[in-house]
Amino acid sequence: MHTKWRRDLSGPILVFDSGIGGLSIFDEIRQVLPDKQYCYLFDNARLPYGELDEQVLISGCKALITSIVKMIDASLIVIACNTASTLVLPALREVLNIPVVGVVPAIKPAAALSRNKHIGVLATPGTIRRPYTHELIEQFGGDCKVELYGSSELVILSERKAAGIDIIQADIAKILNPIKCSGLDTLVLGCTHFPMLKVEIQDYLGENVLLLDSAKAVAARVISLCLQLDEKNRNRNNSKDEVSGSESKEMIALYTSEEISDGLKNTLAKIGFSNIEKVQTG
Ligand code: DGL
């Protein structure tokens, strides 16, 4: 990787997902903290995460994320992926000495907002299976009937949309039909890929179903941690850490597959990523 980082008061924020889903969270963070440096890392060589063996997911994420944190000297990491968050947060926190923020499906607000006390969680098959999710429902589901729906197809459709390929509404309909028929009035988008298809999902389910995701809540947590970090660094360093390297605020997107499509490159460039590179390992 050839990009030089302008050394900020604190290092870049690393946002991680298996694919383009984490951009829904990145977008919320950047709206409030536009002057930070960002690196978006996506492990698309191993997508969809919802189908991966648990141990493979944990060890792979740990190795990839720790090496990139070191390479860019990240100050904070956001695991902008529900599937990874259900498994890898403890392993990462054990080896990293920077804040690690995860994503939690918005079950608590969904239970509070549902009028008919019937909610659903739409996530990856991995997230739907994990004890982490079942404990959240136990803790925050209140008196609601909670139904779980797992789909990796929707992850793939969301990736296709980001690559500029038209989404066929019949494909969405096939996946969401059981939800439409269930009578629930509030649906948690428990995978960060799904807000990317919010318009299509809402169109199919109708305006009477409220869609909720956690992007704003995660962004709020990141913002508060960043303010604390900046304050700490200012007190510690005064001005000595403010310099060196290029003055431009480059944003990097790093992927793990051999290649990505021109469509996806265009989408990333439009968001503002000036460097889009394959992760160099070893
Ligand atoms: N975006 C991810 C999530 O929030 C994972 C999608 C996948 O790779 O299966 O769960």
Side-chain angles (χ1 to χ4, degrees):
M1 193 170 69
H2 306 293
T3 307
K4 277 195 216 121
W5 290 97
R6 178 179 62 84
R7 190 72 174 91
D8 223 323
L9 279 175
S10 53
I13 296 174
L14 178 62
V15 181
F16 171 78
D17 185 30
S18 59
I20 50 86
L23 292 171
S24 58
I25 289 183
F26 164 75
D27 186 50
E28 290 287 343
I29 300 170
R30 192 171 60 142
Q31 278 182 39
V32 186
L33 299 173
D35 294 329
K36 290 277 170 202
Q37 286 187 296
Y38 296 95
C39 175
Y40 187 72
L41 169 65
F42 57 110
D43 188 12
N44 59 335
R46 303 193 310 146
L47 179 142
Y49 270 14
E51 306 289 332
L52 276 190
D53 171 81
E54 297 198 355
Q55 280 320 309
V56 173
L57 183 60
I58 295 172
S59 56
C61 283
K62 195 171 151 186
L64 174 65
I65 292 166
T66 50
S67 78
I68 301 298
V69 163
K70 218 163 116 189
M71 185 193 292
I72 66 169
D73 194 15
S75 59
L76 184 147
I77 165 144
V78 185
I79 305 299
C81 171
N82 290 266
T83 315
S85 293
T86 61
L87 284 177
V88 304
L89 296 178
L92 285 175
R93 287 180 178 140
E94 212 175 85
V95 293
L96 293 173
N97 61 359
I98 56 172
V100 179
V101 179
V103 195
V104 179
I107 291 165
K108 193 176 177 181
L113 290 168
S114 173
R115 283 153 295 142
N116 69 1
K117 296 294 159 204
H118 185 177
I119 69 175
V121 180
L122 177 61
T124 66
T127 298
I128 292 307
R129 267 197 313 271
R130 304 260 145 77
Y132 179 95
T133 307
H134 293 266
E135 280 158 25
L136 279 175
I137 292 169
E138 190 75 14
Q139 219 179 335
F140 299 119
D143 51 355
C144 287
K145 176 178 175 190
V146 185
E147 295 195 88
L148 298 171
Y149 302 92
S151 174
S152 289
E153 292 83 358
L154 214 49
V155 173
I156 304 298
L157 286 185
S158 164
E159 288 287 328
R160 279 207 207 135
K161 184 177 177 184
I165 300 167
D166 283 343
I167 297 303
I168 299 164
Q169 194 64 12
D171 290 340
I172 300 267
K174 210 157 70 193
I175 299 163
L176 299 185
N177 184 260
I179 301 179
K180 192 170 186 165
C181 298
S182 71
L184 57 78
D185 73 354
T186 307
L187 182 67
V188 176
L189 301 180
C191 167
T192 54
H193 275 75
F194 300 165
M196 302 289 192
L197 293 171
K198 197 166 179 178
V199 171
E200 290 84 351
I201 296 173
Q202 192 81 71
D203 261 9
Y204 180 70
L205 294 180
E207 291 302 321
N208 288 336
V209 176
L210 176 67
L211 302 179
L212 291 178
D213 63 69
S214 340
K216 281 200 162 43
V218 178
R221 175 75 187 133
V222 171
I223 290 152
S224 117
L225 282 169
C226 278
L227 295 177
Q228 285 172 34
L229 279 178
D230 284 353
E231 184 60 26
K232 217 156 81 187
N233 286 334
R234 250 193 306 272
N235 292 340
R236 198 173 27 194
N237 298 331
N238 291 322
S239 61
K240 84 172 192 287
D241 202 20
E242 283 183 63
V243 222
S244 94
S246 139
E247 275 306 305
S248 65
K249 249 179 281 163
E250 286 172 310
M251 295 207 308
I252 295 184
L254 296 174
Y255 54 88
T256 55
S257 66
E258 278 312 311
E259 251 309 322
I260 60 171
S261 68
D262 288 343
L264 182 51
K265 278 187 192 154
N266 285 341
T267 299
L268 291 166
K270 268 192 211 142
I271 293 170
F273 290 98
S274 48
N275 280 276
I276 303 164
E277 301 171 15
K278 178 179 164 29
V279 169
Q280 308 291 339
T281 46

